[in-house]
Amino acid sequence: MTVNKVRKTVSLLHSTLKDFPRHHLMMASAVGCCLLVLALYPVSDAEANRKIAESIEIPVATQPLPIAPEEIAPALSWTEQRVSSGDSLSTLFTRAKLTAIDVYQVSSSQDGKLLRNLYPGELFRFGLDNVGQLQELHHVQSKLVSRVFTREGKSYSSEQRVLEPDTLLNYREGVIKDSLYMSGLEADLPDKLIMELANIFAWDIDFVFDIRKEDSFSLLFEENFLEGEKLSVGDIVAATFTNRGKTYQAVRYTNDQGVTNYYTPEGLSMRKAFLRTPLDIFRISSGFNLKRKHPIHKKIKAHRGVDYAAPRGTPVYSAGDGKVIAAGYSKANGNYVFVQHGQTYITKYLHLNKKKVRKGQSVRQRQLIGTVGSTGYATGPHLHYEFLVNGVHRNPRTVKLPQANPIPKAELMAFQTTTQPMLRQLAQHGGTSTFAGSEAAADINSGTSSAN
Ligand SMILES: [Zn+2]
C-alpha cells in the first residue's frame, strides 16, 4: 500500500555491479540505511571506473566552473559578468572596466561573430594580466559548453570547450494506490519519467482501463551529473510493470543501426503495430483515477467498441500506421475517422469534436487524427474506439496485437550481452525492498466497468 522509496544511485558500469554481493545490500538496508548510494568518482581516470565505491553520497551541489582558470593561466586575475536582458558585448566589457578597443579586438577576431547573439544567464569571465590587459575571455554558454578566446597580439583565437557529464543510474519503485501519476509522484519520479514509463508499456497495458490498486512498477533510469551536481534526468534504462498480477519487463537497447528502442528481455519490441489506447492518456484530467466512472451509453445497441471518457479536446491518435478510408459526419457517429492498416485491420474513432485528417491521407502511429468530443449519439465527451480484424469487431483492450520488429537473430547475442546486466541490476534492487506481494493482488475490481 505504501510507496516504497528506495533510492540508490549506481554506476553506469553495469558489468561491475552485477557481481556486487547481494548480502551487502541487505545488510545495508538492515542497519536502516535508507540511502544507499553506490557511486563512482568522476571519470577523470578510466581505471578508477573499474572500482565501486560503497556508500558514497553524491556530493553536495557546487557551482561547477567549466574551466578552472588557475589551470589555464595562473597569472591572470579574473572577474565575471552575467548576461542580462539587453546586454551586448559593449555593456559587459564596460561593466568589466574594459575599453572599446578591447571590444573591437575581440569582436573583430575570427570567431568574434559568435558573440553577436548573447542570451540572458550566460556568463563572461575576464582574465586580466598584471597590467590590466585582457588575455583570456571565457564565454560560458551553459554548464557544459563554453568558448575560450585567447589573446594573440592584437587579436584573439578561440576554441570551444565541451564537458561530458557523468551519467549515473538511479532506481525507483512504487505501488499504485489511486493513480499511476500520483503514485509516481509519491515515488519521487519526475513527470517526464512517469510519462516515459507509461509510454514504454502503452502497447501492453491500457492505462485508462486496466490499472488496478496494488499494480506496481520499478525502474532504472539515467541521471547526468557534473562535478556532483545533478544536471538533468535522462531516460529509462530498464523497467518492470506489474498489472493485475502479470509482470511486463522492458529494457532499452540501441541496435547496430544506432536506433534506440525498448524490448522484452527476449528481444521482442515493446512497440507494437497498434497502440493499446488511442488517445493521450495524460490529458485525461482524472489521471488514471481508479474511482472514476466511465459513462457507457448502454442505450445504443450493438455497441462494439470501447468508450474512453475524456475531456473535450483531448488528442486522439491513430493506433497504427495506415490510411484514412473515411472521415465524415453521421447522425449516430458524429464526426468520425476510419483508418485501414494493411489488409487485415481497421480502426474507427467516433464522436470526435474535430477531425484532423482527410479521406485518403496516410497516417503514422500516434499521429493526431482528431479530438475527443460528443458529436452524434453521445451522452458526454468520450472517444468511442473500434478495432476490426478481417472485418470482424474485436475487443481493442484484449485483442492480440501483431508483433513489431524483434531483434534480428544475428544481433541477439549482442542484445543479451548489453541488456542482461541491466535487467539483473533492476531485479537486485527489487529484491532488497519490502515490496508487497503484488502477484497475489491480481484483479482487484475498482469500479471501472468493461465497455463491451
Ligand atoms: Zn461507444
Side-chain angles (χ1 to χ4, degrees), residues 298-318:
K298 293 199 174 73
K299 282 174 194 163
I300 296 172
K301 283 177 185 150
H303 186 247
R304 296 180 291 192
V306 175
D307 290 313
Y308 292 99
R312 190 182 312 280
T314 299
V316 174
Y317 304 135
S318 178

Side-chain angles (χ1 to χ4, degrees), residues 9 166-170 221-225 230 232-234:
T9 304
D166 301 317
T167 301
L168 303 178
L169 289 187
N170 205 338
F221 59 98
E222 291 175 340
E223 287 181 320
N224 299 313
F225 290 85
K230 187 156 83 178
S232 59
V233 174

Side-chain angles (χ1 to χ4, degrees), residues 6 25 35 90 110 145 210 307 314 381-382 424 441:
V6 181
L25 295 170
L35 181 72
S90 295
Q110 195 183 345
V145 179
D210 289 345
D307 290 313
T314 299
H382 74 285
R424 252 199 307 274

Side-chain angles (χ1 to χ4, degrees), residues 6 21 23 39 66 91 168 211 227 244 296-297 344 351 435 447:
V6 181
H23 61 87
T91 59
L168 303 178
I211 296 302
E227 294 174 11
R244 301 195 288 175
I296 311 299
H297 45 126
T344 312
H351 310 309
F435 224 158

Side-chain angles (χ1 to χ4, degrees), residues 258-270:
V259 179
T260 301
N261 263 312
Y262 291 91
Y263 295 89
T264 69
E266 296 75 35
L268 300 178
S269 181
M270 294 302 288

